[in-house]
Amino acid sequence: MGLLHKWGSFVRFSHTVFALPFALAAMTVAARDHRGWPGWRVAGLILASMVCARTCAMAFNRIVDRKFDALNPRTAGRHLPTGEITLGSAITLCVCAGAGLVGASFFLNPLCFYLSPVALAVICFYSLTKRFTDYTHFFLGLALALAPVGAWLAVKGTDINSLAAVQMLILAAAVVLWLVGFDIIYGLQDYDFDRAHGLHSLVVAWGPKNALQAAFLAHMIMCGLLLVFGVLCRFRLAYGIGWLIIVGCLALEHWIARRRSLRWINVAFFRLNAVVSSVFLGVVLIEVVFRGGFRLR
């Protein structure tokens, strides 16, 4: 258990709670004709792909940022700076996880297999963007948005109509903006360090106050997109209640970010956003499986 805990904390496995619910929600909507269930094989391969993709991306991030992590008091205790995990082991994990994603995609469908190298490039590229662009948050958002897109395509492949394509892209855009908002809030912790070491972010470029305003705007647009997504999917009461809970969580997150000290950032970052993604998955399941009224089809 100690070994599993060490590697799980290395890749922040607990943070899978952010992307995975959106991927499962997308899978559920894509398999709507089958009451949201694409079968054990497809569901298992989607889960394997998600775990492999996130493990690869996180390991790559830790590898390329290890020198900055060693200098930053907040991250100096991470596994690579302290030597708890060797660089060679981290590289091996990263490569194996990337290969696992490609392998799982191969058994899903040809489209997912052909796109898997593109997905790997996108999710790893984010870790380099803080070196040259202030809009690094958008690249992280794009990386996370591949989760619902990938799950949708895993179920449907090329058999996707125009309405489904619009639904999928709106959900992906909502995820991008969700990430932009809470990654800006998370970046407040490293404002002084990033500015001193030439690392880029909207927090550094615009200052904490203006960046927080941008984060709030991103989350408000995200809420609008989620509302449009629900309308296009013909969701009803359950989704509406869930949407209100999500809006409330995001409003509380911004209240904490503006009114509380930085030690509260992890509350705003992890707990509230975990609620957002979990509530979204829950109400989508209710709407698809029970049609929003707890009546089986």
Side-chain angles (χ1 to χ4, degrees):
M1 289 299 293
L3 186 63
L4 288 175
H5 179 268
K6 180 176 75 171
W7 284 101
S9 61
F10 174 64
V11 296
R12 291 293 183 92
F13 188 77
S14 60
H15 287 190
T16 305
V17 72
F18 295 142
L20 184 59
F22 280 97
L24 295 179
M27 178 192 78
T28 301
V29 177
R32 198 171 189 173
D33 293 339
H34 303 282
R35 289 174 52 188
W37 183 244
W40 286 105
R41 177 181 174 277
V42 172
L45 288 170
I46 289 174
L47 182 60
S49 298
M50 280 289 304
V51 171
C52 287
R54 197 189 175 283
T55 299
C56 177
M58 237 9 243
F60 184 81
N61 178 268
R62 294 294 189 252
I63 291 166
V64 299
D65 279 357
R66 64 189 185 280
K67 294 181 180 178
F68 291 116
D69 287 345
L71 296 173
N72 189 339
R74 185 180 67 83
T75 58
R78 286 178 176 172
H79 301 78
L80 286 178
T82 61
E84 186 176 355
I85 288 177
T86 65
L87 179 59
S89 298
I91 293 173
T92 300
L93 176 66
C94 182
V95 172
C96 290
L101 170 62
V102 175
S105 300
F106 176 80
F107 291 104
L108 279 167
N109 58 58
L111 180 61
C112 288
F113 176 62
Y114 296 143
L115 291 177
S116 59
V118 178
L120 281 174
V122 172
I123 62 178
C124 290
F125 182 66
Y126 151 71
S127 297
L128 305 175
T129 57
K130 65 185 71 174
R131 292 159 172 79
F132 62 85
T133 177
D134 298 331
Y135 297 94
T136 178
H137 319 281
F138 287 93
F139 287 94
L140 178 59
L142 180 62
L144 202 73
L146 292 181
V149 171
W152 205 303
L153 296 179
V155 174
K156 303 299 288 186
T158 56
D159 184 24
I160 183 170
N161 58 37
S162 57
L163 175 60
V166 171
Q167 292 168 342
M168 179 182 70
L169 293 176
I170 287 176
L171 180 57
V175 171
V176 171
L177 292 171
W178 177 51
L179 250 292
V180 168
F182 79 67
D183 193 52
I184 287 175
I185 293 174
Y186 188 72
L188 294 173
Q189 300 176 100
D190 294 326
Y191 171 63
D192 292 326
F193 178 85
D194 289 350
R195 188 173 58 171
H197 290 81
L199 295 176
H200 296 265
S201 73
L202 289 180
V203 181
V204 173
W206 295 353
K209 183 177 180 180
N210 290 332
L212 276 175
Q213 291 177 345
F216 181 77
L217 178 61
H219 277 162
M220 292 302 98
I221 298 175
M222 173 232 181
C223 290
L225 290 175
L226 287 184
L227 189 60
V228 172
F229 177 77
V231 170
L232 290 177
C233 292
R234 303 185 307 280
F235 291 158
R236 299 183 296 177
L237 179 61
Y239 188 85
I241 294 172
W243 182 82
L244 289 174
I245 294 173
I246 289 171
V247 172
C249 286
L250 293 176
L252 179 58
E253 180 177 353
H254 285 273
W255 183 87
I256 291 174
R258 292 172 183 270
R259 302 288 183 178
R260 298 284 186 166
S261 63
L262 288 179
R263 66 186 179 87
W264 282 80
I265 289 295
N266 281 331
V267 175
F269 171 74
F270 186 79
R271 297 179 187 176
L272 288 173
N273 286 297
V275 172
V276 166
S277 58
S278 300
V279 166
F280 181 77
L281 172 59
V283 295
V284 167
L285 285 172
I286 291 171
E287 290 287 355
V288 172
V289 178
F290 301 105
R291 300 181 63 183
F294 297 97
R295 296 191 304 271
L296 289 173
R297 298 187 189 188

